[in-house]
Amino acid sequence: MPIQQILTGGKVPVKIYTDDVDPKALVQLSNMAQLPFVHGHVAAMPDVHVGIGATVGAVIPTKGAIIPAAVGVDIGCGMNAVRLSLKAGQLPDNLRPLRHVVEAAVPVGFDMHSEGHGALASTVRAMSGGLDRIVKRHPGILKMQKNVERNWMRQLGTLGGGNHFIELCLDENQDVWVMLHSGSRGIGNIIGRYFIELARKDMGKHLANLPDRDLAYLREGAEHFDDYVDAVHWAQDYAMTNRREMMRLILEALARQLPPFTATKEAINCHHNYVAVEHHFGEELFVTRKGAIRAGAGDLGIIPGSMGAKSYIVRGKGEPQSFCSCSHGAGRRMSRGQAKKKFDPQDLIAQTAGVECRKDAGVLDEIPGAYKDIDAVMANQSDLVEVVHTLKQVMCVKG
């Protein structure tokens, strides 16, 4: 479907691909549209919902500045999926032992790998130089959390918590897929928080002129701008590497339990919380996707539903008005606190019927009922992407 509503009144308009928007999200979108360096318009995807400062599901094109809080603290968070040469009938009837095997291979929640295990040593070495360069200029990063210099290595190839997950899915042809969602873990969170605060400090008294202090920005050419660009790109690379290492560990674990298989070439690894330099409407711009994926013409992407809903492998149509973007998922309909008040574990059991997963109070905030209807979200972005595969999970690992 085309753009459903347009907000005016800011420096630029806001073009929204749904009419299902929380009023608080509309305020956040309007706030972003007031910033002097936002270029052209702001685009809001069908999964749009309230974030911190910047709305989740927003695509923010800027010229000469970046908003660190719009990129967020889970820098480079995104998806990875790969199709296996297995069919549904080759999976065991009881998937619980398989879930435990995956949970043993990939630490979840606050857990991490033991020293010397997890990510390949060559991978750790490849990432080390970039971080050393960043902390040499900003040693305060290492003071924000205990054992930062060791933990980032131990967290490579780990899931984390919240809405991060690992799933075994079946597509419309009964082919088996492995799909996962994670980002830059603790080190990305630290880098994000460090530069968000630095942007506030750099703005000084001008911070009071912003509609929201979480929209503090770094100007191109200012003292810390290049350092942030360097740090955010490193964190995005870390997130991509983290997903790649997790997928390697998962496939190794599955290979010990399932019939022999190969991973097909149809593999996708894409960010949905990140900033990149792109060319749109004749200009080189910084494009921040806060809960949105790139959907350029021919780009393959992943749009997951909730724990009990369908997910989609999509191909981008390169729609200019969305800055070649689409949604990053279903999008939350209610906050985590609201979900815990509204639902109980029996609701979770009912809404995840047929899925091998945790069904306890610890993951109640991720219940499918807390999310928007993924089918409605997909219908609202038919101008942005075409569906290549429809996936339904049969096993889900949560942190």
Side-chain angles (χ1 to χ4, degrees):
M1 294 175 68
I3 293 163
Q4 298 296 293
Q5 56 180 309
I6 300 177
L7 303 182
T8 58
K11 176 183 175 289
V12 299
V14 180
K15 301 181 179 182
I16 309 175
Y17 284 86
T18 179
D19 56 11
D20 180 13
V21 191
D22 186 300
K24 293 179 181 178
L26 291 175
V27 171
Q28 288 188 330
L29 291 167
S30 296
N31 286 344
M32 287 188 290
Q34 295 178 39
L35 299 175
F37 49 84
V38 175
H39 190 81
H41 63 274
V42 174
M45 302 297 103
D47 60 339
V48 61
H49 58 281
V50 174
I52 299 175
T55 322
V56 180
V59 183
I60 311 156
T62 58
K63 196 167 180 63
I66 298 175
I67 308 165
V71 180
V73 296
D74 196 358
I75 301 169
C77 185
M79 300 290 303
N80 194 355
V82 62
R83 184 173 56 166
L84 308 183
S85 60
L86 295 174
K87 290 289 187 178
Q90 294 175 279
L91 295 177
D93 293 334
N94 183 1
L95 293 174
R96 182 161 297 178
L98 205 59
R99 174 164 69 90
H100 292 326
V101 165
V102 172
E103 290 170 339
V106 178
V108 303
F110 292 107
D111 291 342
M112 61 187 83
H113 293 289
S114 57
E115 297 278 0
H117 294 81
L120 297 172
S122 58
T123 301
V124 173
R125 286 195 300 272
M127 298 297 302
S128 295
L131 184 60
D132 290 345
R133 183 178 64 250
I134 294 162
V135 300
K136 185 177 181 179
R137 297 194 298 268
H138 294 275
I141 289 172
L142 296 181
K143 299 176 183 178
M144 294 183 68
Q145 192 180 81
K146 188 177 180 181
N147 298 324
V148 174
E149 63 276 18
R150 288 166 42 205
N151 287 353
W152 75 265
M153 305 178 195
R154 296 176 60 196
Q155 287 185 338
L156 261 179
T158 67
L159 183 64
N163 62 353
H164 294 166
F165 62 78
I166 301 165
E167 290 184 345
L168 209 59
C169 306
L170 304 177
D171 69 12
E172 67 283 351
N173 300 313
Q174 295 299 291
D175 289 328
V176 176
W177 290 69
V178 178
M179 182 169 70
L180 61 87
H181 172 209
S182 190
S184 52
R185 305 294 287 108
I187 188 63
N189 181 283
I190 290 168
I191 288 172
R193 288 190 290 115
Y194 179 87
F195 280 97
I196 288 169
E197 188 57 36
L198 196 57
R200 291 174 182 153
K201 289 179 179 177
D202 282 4
M203 291 198 70
K205 63 182 181 181
H206 299 294
L207 186 64
N209 298 328
L210 291 176
D212 188 324
R213 69 193 302 269
D214 283 316
L215 296 177
Y217 55 86
L218 295 167
R219 279 279 191 188
E220 195 167 10
E223 180 182 3
H224 297 119
F225 181 86
D226 289 342
D227 289 351
Y228 177 67
V229 170
D230 189 18
V232 79
H233 285 165
W234 182 87
Q236 287 170 189
D237 288 343
Y238 181 96
M240 188 77 72
T241 303
N242 180 45
R243 292 192 291 273
R244 193 176 297 121
E245 286 297 302
M246 261 194 291
M247 185 63 76
R248 179 183 63 82
L249 293 168
I250 294 164
L251 295 182
E252 287 178 355
L254 294 179
R256 294 191 290 269
Q257 305 294 320
L258 298 175
F261 65 83
T262 58
T264 71
K265 292 181 180 179
E266 196 165 25
I268 307 114
N269 195 345
C270 59
H271 297 318
H272 55 227
N273 282 352
Y274 73 112
V275 61
V277 176
E278 296 181 4
H279 191 83
H280 295 278
F281 300 106
E283 297 276 1
E284 290 292 320
L285 303 170
F286 294 105
V287 177
T288 298
R289 291 186 175 92
K290 173 73 168 179
I293 63 172
R294 180 170 170 81
D299 287 345
L300 286 176
I302 307 165
I303 303 177
S306 61
M307 290 170 68
K310 291 174 285 188
S311 298
Y312 296 89
I313 306 298
V314 298
R315 182 177 291 109
K317 294 185 176 181
E319 169 53 45
Q321 294 299 316
S322 73
F323 297 98
C324 298
S325 308
C326 69
S327 85
H328 81 311
R332 295 196 73 93
R333 183 171 294 284
M334 59 184 69
S335 70
R336 296 184 183 281
Q338 289 171 328
K340 289 178 180 179
K341 289 178 181 178
K342 182 175 178 61
F343 299 108
D344 61 33
Q346 290 303 311
D347 296 317
L348 182 61
I349 291 170
Q351 292 184 28
T352 58
V355 182
E356 171 53 47
C357 63
R358 286 177 58 190
K359 301 177 189 281
D360 56 77
V363 293
L364 195 55
D365 53 350
E366 282 295 300
I367 190 169
Y371 285 83
K372 293 182 179 182
D373 178 5
I374 187 63
D375 291 327
V377 169
M378 294 304 296
N380 281 330
Q381 56 189 337
S382 57
D383 285 6
L384 310 183
V385 293
E386 62 176 326
V387 174
V388 180
H389 294 291
T390 301
L391 310 184
K392 181 67 178 72
Q393 71 273 69
V394 291
M395 184 188 85
C396 178
V397 172
K398 284 279 187 180

